[in-house]
């Protein structure tokens, strides 16, 4: 099935605190965004659209060297994905939305997401089990509930969708409304979201410690 990859790379990376936008920070000598685009292409998407910080377009064009189409991202991840979706091939059957901040995601995750879409799922997310006891707290930090861990999952990217379904879900989402991921956007429409196995290597680089761990992985 024809698939477009979208990479959300327009964030500034405040929590990482680097001297440049997070997606341009090098890991093993390659900017995070270059890793993310390579994962999608290696896993089988046909083309990639990257949402970038408008002021950094040239720097992204330089490092991506024609491997992806660039669009100006927005103030939120939701706005950035919306912009990339609008610029993506409307004829593609599927769209996979990935974070530049998950540079070491193995292409096998992309393959699993594409397989589930090809089997007819309208929406697919890679997930991992939760290993710690996880609790709900109130405003004072007092534990109010402890959900059954066996029913909990940690959600990663790339998240895959029928393109028609994702475009419809973004059309239905009021402009300016922000959701944490794209599965939440389609769930707001009542679309069922299937899960496939994620991968610990798809961990998100958020703070400096995460980048240090990723560096250790690429040096091995
Ligand atoms: N993202 C985006 N557009 C935004 C904000 C975030 O495309 N306006 C992207 C980021 O580039 C990143 C992904 O969404 O690849 C996940 O976001 P996050 O890890 O929060 O990255 P940043 O927003 O850059 O980091 P921070 O929140 O620490 O500033
Ligand atoms: Mg952010």
């Amino acid at each position: 099935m024809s698939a477009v990859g979208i990479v959300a790379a327009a964030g500034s990376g405040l929590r990482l605190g680097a001297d440049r936008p997070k997606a341009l920070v090098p890991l093993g000598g390659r900017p995070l965004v270059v890793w993310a685009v390579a994962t999608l292409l290696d896993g089988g998407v046909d083309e990639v659209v990257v949402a970038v910080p408008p002021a950094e377009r040239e720097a992204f064009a330089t490092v991506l060297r024609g491997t992806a189409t660039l669009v100006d991202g927005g103030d939120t991840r939701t706005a950035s994905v919306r912009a990339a979706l609008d610029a993506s091939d409307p004829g593609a059957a599927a769209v996979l939305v990935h974070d530049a901040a998950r540079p070491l995601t193995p292409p096998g995750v992309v393959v699993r997401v594409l397989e589930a879409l090809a089997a007819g799922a309208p929406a697919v997310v890679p997930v991992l089990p939760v290993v710690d006891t996880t609790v709900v707290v109130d405003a004072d930090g007092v534990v109010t509930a402890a959900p059954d861990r066996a029913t909990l999952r940690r959600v990663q990217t790339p998240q895959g969708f029928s393109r028609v379904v994702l475009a419809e879900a973004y059309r239905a989402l009021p402009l300016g409304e922000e959701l944490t991921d794209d599965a939440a956007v389609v769930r707001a429409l009542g679309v069922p979201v299937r899960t496939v196995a994620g991968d610990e290597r798809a961990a998100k680089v958020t703070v400096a410690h995460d980048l240090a761990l990723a560096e250790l992985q690429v040096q091995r």
Side-chain angles (χ1 to χ4, degrees), residues 37-124:
V37 169
T39 291
L40 288 170
L41 291 172
D42 290 349
V45 311
D46 301 291
E47 56 182 282
V48 179
V49 180
V50 182
V52 304
E56 302 281 346
R57 233 182 141 119
E58 254 177 61
F60 278 79
T62 301
V63 300
L64 287 168
R65 286 182 295 118
T67 56
T69 303
L70 307 188
V71 299
D72 286 348
D75 290 340
T76 63
R77 185 185 183 281
T78 303
S80 294
V81 173
R82 190 194 288 277
L85 185 60
D86 286 346
S88 69
D89 177 6
V95 181
L96 269 64
V97 185
H98 192 31
D99 286 332
R102 298 181 186 274
L104 299 184
T105 305
V109 179
V110 177
V111 171
R112 290 195 285 279
V113 170
L114 286 172
E115 281 172 354
L117 291 170
V124 187

Side-chain angles (χ1 to χ4, degrees), residues 163-185:
R163 191 185 188 284
V164 170
V165 167
L166 188 62
E168 175 56 29
Y170 268 89
R171 259 194 301 279
L173 185 73
L175 278 178
E177 189 162 327
E178 199 197 341
L179 295 174
T180 56
D181 70 355
D182 305 285
V185 178

Side-chain angles (χ1 to χ4, degrees), residues 11-15 22 77 178 204 206:
S12 50
L14 284 179
R15 287 168 292 178
K22 181 160 72 179
R77 185 185 183 281
E178 199 197 341
K204 189 155 79 75
T206 305

